[in-house]
Amino acid sequence: MVLAKIASQSDVSIHSTFASRYVRESLPRYKMPENSIPKEAAFQIINDELMLDGKPRLNLASFVTTWMEPECDKLIMDAMNKNYVDMDEYPVTTELQNRCVNMIAHLFNAPLGDSEAAVGVGTVGSSEAIMLAGLAFKRKWQNKRKAEGKPYDNPNIVTGANVQVCWEKFARYFEVELKEVKLRDGYYVMDPVQAAEMVDENTICVAAILGSTLNGEFEDVKLLNDLLVEKNKITGWDTPIHVDAASGGFIAPFLWPELEWDFRLPLVKSINVSGHKYGLVYAGVGWAIWRSKDDLPDELIFHINYLGADQPTFTLNFSKGSSQIIAQYYQLIRLGHEGYRNVMENCHENAMVLRQGLEQTGKFNIVSKEIGVPLVAFSLKDNTRHNEFEIAEHLRRFGWIVPAYTMPADAQHVTVLRVVIREDFSRTLAERLVIDIVKVLHELDTLPARISAKISVTAAAAAEQNGKNGAVVIKKTEIETQREITTYWKNFVSAKKNNKNTIC
């Protein structure tokens, strides 16, 4: 379901210069037209509006793949009319999915015998994969509690405050308490020690992230596993781990194969990964892989036969396209270990080029790590006059889409910009981006200080005057002041964007 809002109450129709030769009257925008129009007119009307979209390759906010080889593009188009769920009608597509599941399971070091099939499923992105994995953990925990005659109505899951929003969706939709480990200055991922301390008898699993959305950092799954092993021995619990490897699952095995985060750790029972991120496939395909059949309760698997044969299925949705499954198989056999390693090394090197270029400006603190997803997250050393939101806004004039955002609790006062390096982001583009960022910094230096900074200065002057007059003055800390400034600026930018009549 997509939540949408009408962009303008006054503009109720679409006008197109090119389509006007076919259409005598403008088309209604939010109601289906009464009459048909020529296919050329329909194409031109839509194409004209889409010209105003940003360029996907310059969208540095997104982890999602924006380029594939022409041969794979053709395979995708040829399979657009195949509904994946019709497994009996499209047995080869089903076989390709099974091959992908097994390849990825072996990549994640699943303990499989020579002839043993892996347990997993293709999903619509990592969001569905996380929902399925979470449901499996919840059902296993409930079954165990029922067998022990204990209450099973208050499950919880332990995560870091840096988790992607799909974890919050899972918790809310499926009535699981989300217990978050708060962040702190300089440490923007889940602390394994604190996570283990928060685990109780109602914890269905601890979710660790291999590649935080905020700064690309890998969480220490090995330490988390060791801490939980010891805690399980003492308490008699068997709290497991799920690894959200949406971004890092196709990176770590090729850049840091010695890093232990996957099924080599005994408590890791399931892993999700996004094929449409560093799996190098267009949106949207994800994968959910389980350690063994015992980790996926049988009662969650449905068997249907009204499409021609008995078909086991474990998905939240029914119909979906086959194209991305086929595209994933193409990438796996086309690139192999060598190809994926080359792509990831190139992305990592380009991230280092960008990182070094930003460091040389002397204006930024780098908050991302060299070991992690190939991205660069950075913040201004001095944001008293201008802040990260202004930089993001000014970069759009050059075509760059670079997100600015605040960190979660308890590091809300830290604001960062983030550039994601994908396969189609070249060394030349990295160098060009640094040049444009330097231009933006020079431009901002010539502009008056932002309104929020002026308010802060005015408030400080007023407080100083009150102090001279004998009034009791409570001075705010630097962090409190920065939080106020950040909040003010976010609201200011949001209000300006929502006001469609404002001319900037």
Side-chain angles (χ1 to χ4, degrees):
M1 178 181 69
V2 176
L3 301 178
K5 62 179 181 180
I6 296 177
S8 172
Q9 297 292 346
S10 60
D11 188 2
V12 296
S13 61
I14 299 175
H15 301 272
S16 173
T17 301
F18 291 97
S20 61
R21 70 187 66 175
Y22 303 109
V23 184
R24 295 293 181 88
E25 297 180 358
S26 57
L27 295 176
R29 184 175 298 223
Y30 300 111
K31 292 183 180 179
M32 185 183 295
E34 291 295 330
N35 302 316
S36 302
I37 61 174
K39 60 181 182 295
E40 296 87 356
F43 170 83
Q44 195 63 57
I45 289 172
I46 297 171
N47 187 66
D48 286 351
E49 285 209 85
L50 289 176
M51 288 171 60
L52 300 176
D53 265 349
K55 296 180 180 179
R57 288 187 60 187
L58 297 182
N59 179 9
L60 306 182
S62 177
F63 292 81
V64 175
T65 296
T66 53
W67 176 86
M68 297 188 75
E69 292 175 326
E71 291 79 6
C72 193
D73 287 344
K74 187 176 187 307
L75 287 173
I76 289 173
M77 294 307 300
D78 289 345
M80 288 293 287
N81 58 353
K82 288 184 180 180
N83 185 4
Y84 172 76
V85 78
D86 295 332
M87 299 178 187
D88 193 50
E89 297 297 322
Y90 309 120
V92 175
T93 301
T94 302
E95 169 63 16
L96 295 187
Q97 185 214 230
N98 293 338
R99 293 178 189 177
C100 289
V101 166
N102 280 273
M103 288 182 183
I104 296 170
H106 283 289
L107 185 67
F108 295 165
N109 294 292
L112 300 171
D114 293 338
S115 59
E116 187 177 358
V119 180
V121 63
T123 60
V124 183
S126 275
S127 294
E128 184 187 10
I130 285 170
M131 302 290 172
L132 298 178
L135 283 173
F137 282 119
K138 181 180 178 182
R139 184 56 58 89
K140 279 200 61 122
W141 175 83
Q142 287 177 327
N143 290 343
K144 181 183 178 183
R145 299 283 289 182
K146 289 178 184 178
E148 295 173 345
K150 297 178 180 178
Y152 53 90
D153 58 346
N154 191 31
N156 69 65
I157 186 169
V158 176
T159 69
N162 56 313
V163 291
Q164 215 264 359
V165 69
C166 60
W167 283 100
E168 299 177 30
K169 287 184 178 181
F170 165 74
R172 189 178 302 178
Y173 293 168
F174 296 103
E175 298 180 324
V176 176
E177 179 189 1
L178 191 67
K179 299 172 68 174
E180 294 185 341
V181 178
K182 304 303 182 185
L183 309 185
R184 62 180 184 269
D185 275 343
Y187 196 88
Y188 303 119
V189 292
M190 179 180 68
D191 185 338
V193 176
Q194 292 185 35
E197 291 173 352
M198 292 175 69
V199 167
D200 58 33
E201 62 179 352
N202 293 324
T203 301
I204 63 175
C205 80
V206 179
I209 305 177
L210 194 78
S212 172
T213 301
L214 301 177
N215 68 344
E217 186 174 352
F218 293 165
E219 293 182 344
D220 194 340
V221 188
K222 175 68 165 61
L223 176 57
L224 177 65
N225 177 87
D226 295 344
L227 292 171
L228 288 179
V229 166
E230 291 302 315
K231 186 160 187 172
N232 287 342
K233 287 180 181 178
I234 296 171
T235 60
W237 306 331
D238 55 358
T239 307
I241 297 172
H242 174 85
V243 179
D244 179 356
S247 300
F250 278 109
I251 297 172
F254 303 108
L255 294 185
W256 301 284
E258 73 285 351
L259 184 67
E260 293 185 52
W261 62 272
D262 51 18
F263 292 121
R264 284 170 289 183
L265 303 175
L267 291 184
V268 174
K269 303 299 182 181
S270 56
I271 300 172
N272 69 275
V273 65
S274 292
H276 62 220
K277 292 183 180 177
Y278 289 93
L280 308 180
V281 178
Y282 295 137
V285 60
W287 302 93
I289 310 294
W290 283 269
R291 185 183 194 86
S292 68
K293 292 181 180 179
D294 295 336
D295 298 306
L296 179 57
D298 290 335
E299 62 264 35
L300 293 178
I301 301 174
F302 287 81
H303 294 266
I304 58 174
N305 60 11
Y306 46 81
L307 292 175
D310 179 70
Q311 300 168 2
T313 176
F314 181 37
T315 58
L316 294 180
N317 57 292
F318 192 64
S319 298
K320 68 176 178 181
S322 298
S323 297
Q324 273 67 28
I325 298 291
I326 295 170
Q328 184 71 83
Y329 184 67
Y330 172 90
Q331 294 289 54
L332 291 174
I333 66 169
R334 160 79 174 92
L335 296 174
H337 280 264
E338 178 189 24
Y340 269 98
R341 187 181 305 110
N342 289 338
V343 169
M344 300 312 154
E345 287 177 349
N346 186 57
C347 289
H348 179 73
E349 290 170 3
N350 287 339
M352 293 303 101
V353 168
L354 178 60
R355 179 190 180 107
Q356 291 165 9
L358 293 172
E359 287 176 332
Q360 288 173 3
T361 67
K363 299 284 189 177
F364 298 105
N365 291 315
I366 307 298
V367 299
S368 51
K369 306 295 183 181
E370 293 192 17
I371 296 180
V373 177
L375 62 79
V376 183
F378 53 103
S379 61
L380 283 167
K381 291 181 178 179
D382 179 10
N383 55 10
T384 54
R385 283 180 51 83
H386 300 286
N387 62 24
E388 292 80 3
F389 294 102
E390 289 177 287
I391 293 176
E393 191 173 1
H394 279 67
L395 281 173
R396 283 182 175 269
R397 293 194 297 105
F398 296 94
W400 302 108
I401 301 174
V402 178
Y405 52 88
T406 55
M407 290 292 192
D410 283 333
Q412 301 97 322
H413 59 283
V414 179
T415 306
V416 300
L417 294 149
R418 188 195 68 207
V419 174
V420 178
I421 309 299
R422 301 188 301 271
E423 180 187 11
D424 57 359
F425 189 83
S426 66
R427 185 73 54 89
T428 302
L429 286 177
E431 295 168 347
R432 180 76 249 176
L433 178 58
V434 173
I435 293 172
D436 291 340
I437 289 175
V438 171
K439 287 181 180 179
V440 167
L441 291 174
H442 287 319
E443 290 176 0
L444 288 175
D445 286 341
T446 64
L447 296 176
R450 66 183 188 275
I451 296 174
S452 53
K454 292 179 180 179
I455 290 175
S456 177
V457 171
T458 303
E464 182 179 357
Q465 184 61 42
N466 288 335
K468 291 179 180 179
N469 294 335
V472 177
V473 178
I474 301 176
K475 291 187 177 181
K476 295 180 180 178
T477 65
E478 183 180 347
I479 289 178
E480 289 173 332
T481 302
Q482 183 57 40
R483 284 175 178 170
E484 284 190 3
I485 292 173
T486 300
T487 301
Y488 181 94
W489 181 253
K490 285 176 65 180
N491 293 338
F492 176 78
V493 172
S494 177
K496 186 170 68 172
K497 288 182 178 178
N498 292 334
N499 186 357
K500 301 299 181 182
N501 297 321
T502 299
I503 299 176
C504 303

